[in-house]
Amino acid sequence: MLAANDYRGDRTATAVGPAGALGYRWWGGRPGKSPDLHRDADGTWVACAGALVPAVDSPAAALARRLREGDFERLDGAFGAARLHPDGTLELVRDPFGVRSLYWVRHRGCVLFATELKQLLAVPDLPVELDPAAIHKYLTFSFVPGAAVPIAGIRRVLPGEVLVLRGDTAASRPWFTLREEVTPIEQGPAAQRIWKRGRAAVSRRLLGEPRVGLYLSGGLDSSAVGVWLRDLGADVQAFTLDFGAASVEREEADAVARHLGIPLERVPVDPAELGRRLRELAWTLDLPFGDPVTGPHWLLGRAARAAGLSAVFNGEGGDQLFGGWTSKPMVAASVYGPGYGAESPEQQYLRSYHRFYGLEDQLYTPAFAARVGPEGQRRSLIASHLGEGAAPTTLLNRIRLTDIALKGSQNILPRAERMANAHALDARVPLFDRRLAEASFTLPPALKLHGACEKYVLKLAMQNRLPEAIVWRRKFGMSVPVTDWLRAGGPMDDAVEAALGDEAVRRRGLFRPEYVRALRAGHDSPNEVRRRRVGEKLWTLLALETWLSVFVDGRGRRP
Amino acid sequence: MKCSHCGVDSTKKEREDGKCKACHRPFAFDPQKGDTITDFAFAAAVNRVSMDGTVKFLPTHVLARLEQSRDRARRGRRQTSALVVGGIALAIGIAALVVNLALLAVALALGAVSVLLAGLAALSGRETVDERTFAAWWQRWVQTHGVPKGAVVLDDAARNRPAPAAALAEEVLDYSFDRAVVCDRDDIAELLLANDFHFENNCAVLSANGHPRHAFPTVLKMLRNNPRIEVFALHDCTPAGCALAHTLRERPEWFQGIGSVYDVGLRPGQAGPWHARSVVRTVPPSPALTEAERAWLSSHELSLDVVPPEQLIKRLFRSMNRLPEVADAGGGDAGGFTMIGTTSDGGGDAFG
């Protein structure tokens, strides 16, 4: 199992006893990593992959104490940990926002667990069969939400959760919950609070490296992280994606880098190369991720590694904490009310992913449709955040929490971590700092969405620290030209034909060939007006088929 | 007569009970009994405007589609006749050169008839369906087959939706929209909302008459929260419609001094591709109309219904995503109803 993710470190340690065994892999000499497995005074063994924030010499030792004492006050970081008791009780714990993962499965009377799916599949006689219900959810979200994964029987610990396995029982409890605790505050003090917390979040993630990387898109969030890094005196090398003529925020990235006085490397994105690397990307991602930004992220990581860096910062999280694409559509839907399209906020939210929700009859084969499980599975994933009875009293915070729990914790963070770690880079995500997130939920929602202005309080905090055009312009968003990539005759045509040609689609048996064919011909739903949605849908299918070929057909072996 | 459900043809005798001989579903219409429409034709019009049930539509879209289909069919028949007669004329003309020059006169006469028929096909007036007739057809269709999937009907339930909950209504007053579409017709506003235009485009949708009633006051207050609001006036080619953008821009209860207003509706200059309806009326001078527009509107009007709903949504989206502001019609060219390439509407998540 340890050999299955050898790119994750150059050192390993194992501990084997009558109750079970632990294994751990890490990069020796990296600050903040556990130097070994930890044997606690109470006889338990603890393995911790990742690091805590602020950094400690041994996250495993620190977590041992916390789990022993039930103290999760201010616990933060990017980690997945296991604590094995002498009586065989196993505790599995994940970081608050899901940067690192933890999977487990019962097999031959034992519990197997690992931070990556491929490690479990390395067990030779573990059954590998599709879980259609998990794939059904993936096709709605473009990532796999919840505790189930697309391999039947394998489960995932949720972010911010402790799972206790004892005998045949499995009991989970959350150790971290973001709560809405709004207190009145004026704009100025609110902006100062966010400035301080953001700066502290970045500071806590600087671990003495001589130089760090920054993925700089030209948008507000990554620019804000750049501001804080420079304010802390960090030596920064920035990287930005270059899609050639299709680039959207290239000039903005240049402007920010000049303003901050940091060098900026443009990383060209060659879709043909990404097409050749699809299987490798799928293997590294470990789960299917249907957002085409994953390949470009991989290229950014390669550039950062080539520059000699070991840690990269990014601006992920700004949308989830302070704004985001879903806020305004959901506000619009709520104001006009049900009766227009979807009937409930949950259904509206599912539709906002613009993948295959509502298109199941057109996409799924009858055989697949019959196996995806009962109605309501997808809505149940978000009901606790968005439905009636959800804790936040304000609509905006319900939407924010839903985005954090779904998009942030189960999509954006894990894939960013894996694409960085594919090149032995630590991904540092300060906007998903626990204390910053908690602060954001003390703010009146009108400081997040102020009129039509998203991320208002972050903009106030960055005012006078970034060019006005960067702070106050309407959000544009990075747009991967995926429809162009995947069109017939385009740079990924061979890959698309191999994965989504009629023969391949029939062989897999999940999708109707005629629907996939129509999509490949550029025919989306008649009322879909955005061209990029065709490409996004196709990429979702392409990523899934590639993942299936690597992880189901190939049992997770390195391609 | 073909059944609109199963496609099987039933003769008059076979459908004496008013039902299809194969699937036994009733027919709504029967030309043998005096109807000038068949179920098949009606269903085809519904399927076309709804894109096989995937796009919401108004009943008036079906009416427009039926008129266009009949119009095309009639032109086609006249053109076919012209071609046939022309072909005969040509054959006789060739024969005249070989056999008897006297036949040339016959050929020329037939040729003239052919040209006349072709001219009639090109210049013939529009095939129209009386609105009352269509209303009766629609009623009969609904009684027989139910409301077609995706039909948007502005009934009492649609006009009396419950207002947002008080807590929500209070919270959203802090928020706003980037854009708003204001329509001169309630049913067009309802159509856009039913097709989720507001959800897909971060866009308010209202009518100039206060529709939808349950959300109108809240939404208008929200819109006035955004000093950079972009407002798009979507309207028929009528005097009132063409004055909409001007009204929105000039009236204090609308957007006087707030944001920008763009005209994306139908104006006389864009009516070319369609057959306008003839009317006779006096149109007083207005700052919202050029003289040429006033003259056209004195004798014509054109409804947005001539544009199928899927096309309407796409054109509206493309018009709204252009960059430069377009002047009001009173001052010159209006942007209006043109196909304009899109700019970015924003990307997905991630990458900060």
Side-chain angles (χ1 to χ4, degrees):
Chain A
M1 284 171 67
L2 274 179
N5 66 344
D6 54 4
Y7 66 98
R8 286 276 195 174
D10 55 359
R11 311 261 175 100
T12 59
T14 54
V16 180
L22 286 180
Y24 170 51
R25 178 182 288 279
W26 76 102
W27 288 107
R30 290 262 178 108
K33 307 289 187 189
S34 300
D36 205 333
L37 296 168
H38 173 76
R39 181 75 192 264
D40 210 30
D42 61 1
T44 58
W45 280 96
V46 178
C48 178
L52 302 189
V53 169
V56 297
D57 288 338
S58 174
L63 279 170
R65 181 195 68 75
R66 284 183 176 273
L67 286 167
R68 187 185 345 113
E69 296 175 8
D71 169 25
F72 300 99
E73 183 77 21
R74 296 202 176 182
L75 176 61
D76 196 7
F79 59 87
R83 182 173 177 232
L84 181 61
H85 295 246
D87 66 356
T89 298
L90 178 66
E91 291 172 279
L92 298 176
V93 59
R94 270 181 87 183
D95 59 54
F97 294 113
V99 183
R100 299 300 301 265
S101 299
L102 261 181
Y103 306 93
W104 64 280
V105 62
R106 294 190 190 279
H107 179 60
R108 291 174 167 252
C110 297
V111 170
L112 306 176
F113 59 95
T115 49
E116 295 196 40
L117 200 59
K118 57 176 77 64
Q119 293 175 280
L120 295 180
L121 300 186
V123 174
D125 57 349
L126 186 78
V128 177
E129 286 170 18
L130 277 181
D131 181 343
I135 293 178
H136 170 56
K137 296 187 192 78
Y138 164 81
L139 291 166
T140 287
F141 290 96
S142 81
F143 55 90
V144 181
V149 300
I151 309 283
I154 298 180
R155 306 282 294 172
R156 179 169 51 178
V157 180
L158 292 178
E161 182 182 78
V162 177
L163 178 72
V164 181
L165 293 150
R166 185 180 287 122
D168 291 333
T169 65
S172 66
R173 65 178 191 277
W175 65 263
F176 169 72
T177 306
L178 258 183
R179 286 190 166 75
E180 179 191 51
E181 291 173 345
V182 176
T183 53
I185 185 170
E186 296 296 322
Q187 288 185 7
Q192 279 173 6
R193 181 186 295 175
I194 294 305
W195 167 264
K196 282 186 186 158
R197 292 278 178 113
R199 189 177 185 275
V202 172
S203 175
R204 281 195 285 273
R205 287 162 174 79
L206 284 167
L207 303 186
E209 296 91 352
R211 202 170 205 217
V212 294
L214 170 66
Y215 294 166
L216 185 66
S217 68
L220 176 66
D221 303 333
S222 56
S223 302
V225 174
V227 168
W228 282 314
L229 282 168
R230 295 298 288 140
D231 198 67
L232 288 161
D235 188 359
V236 180
Q237 166 68 53
F239 302 87
T240 198
L241 291 168
D242 187 349
F243 293 101
S247 291
V248 167
E249 291 182 308
R250 192 163 48 183
E251 289 173 9
E252 285 76 9
D254 284 341
V256 173
R258 271 198 308 275
H259 179 83
L260 296 178
I262 56 180
L264 177 66
E265 179 181 329
R266 290 217 183 136
V267 179
V269 180
D270 176 10
E273 179 185 5
L274 294 179
R276 291 190 296 272
R277 291 188 182 276
L278 280 177
R279 289 171 61 78
E280 179 186 354
L281 290 172
W283 183 79
T284 313
L285 283 167
D286 208 50
L287 278 179
F289 288 93
D291 191 319
V293 80
T294 47
H297 272 187
W298 188 93
L299 295 174
L300 283 173
R302 183 173 67 179
R305 192 68 184 150
L309 301 172
S310 62
V312 287
F313 281 76
N314 65 44
E316 308 283 18
D319 283 344
Q320 286 71 50
L321 290 192
F322 300 111
W325 295 102
T326 43
S327 291
K328 289 180 187 175
M330 292 294 294
V331 165
S334 298
V335 169
Y336 283 95
Y340 294 116
E343 294 179 8
S344 67
E346 293 96 307
Q347 287 172 307
Q348 289 155 1
Y349 186 78
L350 291 173
R351 225 151 15 89
S352 74
Y353 283 86
H354 293 112
R355 292 307 199 275
F356 298 102
Y357 182 72
L359 297 173
E360 297 84 358
D361 287 347
Q362 297 178 51
L363 174 64
Y364 297 2
T365 60
F368 177 47
R371 296 168 61 206
V372 301
E375 292 274 337
Q377 299 172 72
R378 293 165 295 182
R379 276 171 279 158
S380 68
L381 289 168
I382 51 183
S384 63
H385 309 294
L386 203 55
E388 282 188 30
T393 58
T394 61
L395 170 67
L396 195 73
N397 280 336
R398 288 185 179 194
I399 299 165
R400 294 294 98 244
L401 280 176
T402 309
D403 266 1
I404 289 168
L406 273 296
K407 259 185 224 190
S409 296
Q410 303 192 44
N411 185 20
I412 290 170
L413 286 179
R415 75 181 188 215
E417 192 275 335
R418 284 165 198 169
M419 289 292 91
N421 235 284
H423 303 284
L425 296 167
D426 276 348
R428 308 272 166 88
V429 193
L431 295 183
F432 265 106
D433 180 82
R434 176 180 176 171
R435 294 202 68 207
L436 177 63
E438 288 169 340
S440 78
F441 279 89
T442 64
L443 301 175
L447 286 178
K448 296 180 192 177
L449 182 58
H450 183 83
C453 182
E454 291 158 328
K455 298 194 266 198
Y456 187 60
V457 67
L458 185 61
K459 291 177 178 176
L460 290 175
M462 287 297 142
Q463 198 166 229
N464 304 322
R465 295 181 165 109
L466 281 169
E468 193 170 318
I470 300 294
V471 176
W472 294 108
R473 72 189 178 103
R474 186 191 286 183
K475 180 178 172 69
F476 221 53
M478 187 196 58
S479 199
V480 177
V482 61
T483 302
D484 288 331
W485 288 358
L486 301 180
R487 62 181 166 77
M492 290 194 180
D493 199 31
D494 289 345
V496 177
E497 178 60 28
L500 298 180
D502 276 5
E503 193 186 316
V505 170
R506 282 203 182 87
R507 194 168 53 236
R508 189 63 72 186
L510 301 176
F511 309 133
R512 294 175 189 262
E514 63 274 17
Y515 179 84
V516 178
R517 206 182 308 129
L519 213 52
R520 290 183 66 194
H523 301 308
D524 204 342
S525 303
N527 53 2
E528 180 51 74
V529 296
R530 289 171 173 82
R531 190 170 165 268
R532 74 168 196 268
R533 297 259 160 83
V534 169
E536 289 169 352
K537 287 188 172 77
L538 275 172
W539 188 275
T540 304
L541 301 182
L542 178 64
L544 176 65
E545 172 54 37
T546 309
W547 183 88
L548 289 170
S549 78
V550 172
F551 281 83
V552 175
D553 305 341
R555 288 191 67 93
R557 282 185 293 271
R558 187 194 297 263
Chain B
M1 187 170 71
K2 265 195 198 171
C3 172
S4 62
H5 291 287
C6 65
V8 168
D9 222 333
S10 298
T11 64
K12 180 182 174 187
K13 200 167 160 62
E14 288 166 336
R15 59 175 194 270
E16 269 179 353
D17 61 352
K19 294 182 182 174
C20 168
K21 70 176 181 183
C23 68
H24 306 297
R25 283 186 161 116
F27 289 102
F29 312 110
D30 193 334
Q32 296 286 350
K33 293 180 182 170
D35 290 322
T36 53
I37 182 81
T38 63
D39 284 48
F40 200 80
F42 199 93
V46 168
N47 287 341
R48 182 64 183 86
V49 299
S50 72
M51 304 295 284
D52 295 324
T54 57
V55 179
K56 307 281 187 347
F57 63 95
L58 299 173
T60 42
H61 287 123
V62 178
L63 168 57
R65 176 69 194 176
L66 284 170
E67 287 181 338
Q68 287 163 4
S69 299
R70 289 176 165 215
D71 206 40
R72 267 197 293 275
R74 191 179 64 165
R75 284 170 190 275
R77 285 193 296 272
R78 288 199 174 154
Q79 284 166 349
T80 302
S81 300
L83 278 171
V84 167
V85 171
I88 295 171
L90 184 63
I92 293 176
I94 293 171
L97 291 173
V98 174
V99 176
N100 185 347
L101 276 175
L103 289 173
L104 208 51
V106 175
L108 284 171
L110 284 174
V113 168
S114 169
V115 168
L116 184 65
L117 283 171
L120 279 174
L123 297 172
S124 61
R126 189 168 162 246
E127 182 83 25
T128 59
V129 176
D130 178 69
E131 281 180 15
R132 216 181 301 180
T133 301
F134 177 77
W137 287 353
W138 180 268
Q139 186 67 12
R140 192 132 41 107
W141 182 272
V142 169
Q143 281 167 352
T144 309
H145 301 297
V147 177
K149 182 183 172 194
V152 175
V153 178
L154 208 44
D155 54 14
D156 285 344
R159 291 197 181 277
N160 293 300
R161 288 194 169 89
L168 175 69
E170 193 183 330
E171 180 190 342
V172 298
L173 289 179
D174 286 329
Y175 313 145
S176 187
F177 295 85
D178 293 307
R179 301 159 172 172
V181 176
V182 181
C183 311
D184 65 334
R185 285 164 49 185
D186 293 356
D187 59 350
I188 294 289
E190 185 77 1
L191 174 78
L192 292 177
L193 290 166
N195 280 295
D196 276 327
F197 196 86
H198 57 306
F199 184 79
E200 296 293 339
N201 297 285
N202 300 335
C203 178
V205 177
L206 298 173
S207 84
N209 310 309
H211 184 76
R213 199 180 308 157
H214 70 291
F216 187 90
T218 302
V219 171
L220 191 57
K221 279 188 201 158
M222 290 171 72
L223 292 176
R224 296 168 71 80
N225 264 347
N226 181 3
R228 297 199 289 183
I229 186 76
E230 293 177 340
V231 180
F232 298 87
L234 181 65
H235 56 84
D236 288 335
C237 196
T238 59
C242 292
L244 178 60
H246 182 79
T247 300
L248 297 176
R249 192 179 288 114
E250 298 300 325
R251 299 293 306 176
E253 65 269 27
W254 283 109
F255 301 103
Q256 186 189 48
I258 302 173
S260 312
V261 178
Y262 302 88
D263 191 327
V264 294
L266 270 177
R267 299 197 76 91
Q270 283 116 28
W274 298 286
H275 283 294
R277 194 180 290 268
S278 295
V279 295
V280 177
R281 61 177 154 219
T282 304
V283 179
S286 161
L289 301 171
T290 64
E291 274 308 305
E293 290 179 327
R294 202 160 73 86
W296 190 94
L297 288 167
S298 300
S299 53
H300 302 90
E301 67 180 23
L302 187 63
S303 164
L304 275 174
D305 298 332
V306 296
V307 184
E310 168 240 348
Q311 280 298 310
L312 180 71
I313 289 166
K314 285 182 173 151
R315 289 177 187 232
L316 180 58
F317 171 79
R318 288 171 183 151
S319 296
M320 288 169 65
N321 281 283
R322 67 186 176 213
L323 285 176
E325 180 167 352
V326 176
D328 186 15
D333 178 45
F337 225 59
T338 53
M339 304 285 281
I340 298 170
T342 57
T343 59
S344 173
D345 57 289
D349 287 312
F351 198 41

